[in-house]
Amino acid sequence: MASRPGGPDPKEAALAGARCLNPHPEQVTDAEFLGSDFFDARDAVQVKYEMVRKVRAGGAPVTEAAAASGYSRPAYYAAAAALESSGLEGLVPAQPGPRGGHKLTEDVLAWAGQQLAAGPALRPAQLPDRIEDAFGVRVHPRPVERALARRRERHPKSRGPARPRDAEGG
């Protein structure tokens, strides 16, 4: 991060906090960004918006606009689609990390539901070892319980008989 004589740049800190800090502002070669106090190559949302605007409103070729913005052609098309579907908010990078239960896929949950239906004495907390044996995926018992509960809420017809709670609360 660049810093001013008096300390860190507050705009740069704000952009970083909003996940909008362009990781490679030095790759932006667009003349409007190089010679302006208004355009800021550190602002990824502004760079992406201007890239899409140059193509759509200015008639610039995609390859040229993407390169001048420090992005690839696929990145241009992703930005254009995000802008079309979600407006400026779509240009803000998503939070890093997995989205939802990436181990507990619909297939795993359907299988787990079948196991519970087939074995009335079987409890959700007993499923992680069986899931690992069947799918090669290690999971903790609590997420299995929560995912199955959510699945029952979404698919009430596949709920099956209500399961009494055992003495341990599971």
Side-chain angles (χ1 to χ4, degrees), residues 66-85:
S69 300
Y71 288 101
S72 64
R73 281 177 16 107
Y76 163 82
Y77 288 112
L83 187 60
E84 182 73 28
S85 66

Side-chain angles (χ1 to χ4, degrees), residues 31-138:
E32 287 183 335
F33 282 88
L34 297 177
S36 172
D37 290 335
F38 176 76
F39 292 105
D40 189 343
R42 298 172 303 167
D43 187 339
V45 172
Q46 187 179 44
V47 173
K48 289 177 186 178
Y49 176 81
E50 287 300 316
M51 173 178 65
V52 173
R53 187 191 65 76
K54 283 185 183 294
V55 171
R56 290 198 175 159
V62 170
T63 304
E64 181 182 302
S69 300
Y71 288 101
S72 64
R73 281 177 16 107
Y76 163 82
Y77 288 112
L83 187 60
E84 182 73 28
S85 66
S86 304
L88 285 175
E89 187 175 305
L91 298 179
V92 177
Q95 288 186 326
R99 312 288 181 266
H102 59 284
K103 292 181 180 179
L104 295 173
T105 64
E106 193 56 39
D107 289 343
V108 172
L109 292 175
W111 180 87
Q114 291 169 354
Q115 296 298 304
L116 290 174
L122 185 63
R123 300 283 176 230
Q126 297 169 306
L127 288 173
D129 289 337
R130 292 175 184 227
I131 290 171
E132 185 174 6
D133 291 343
F135 294 92
V137 176
R138 289 188 58 82

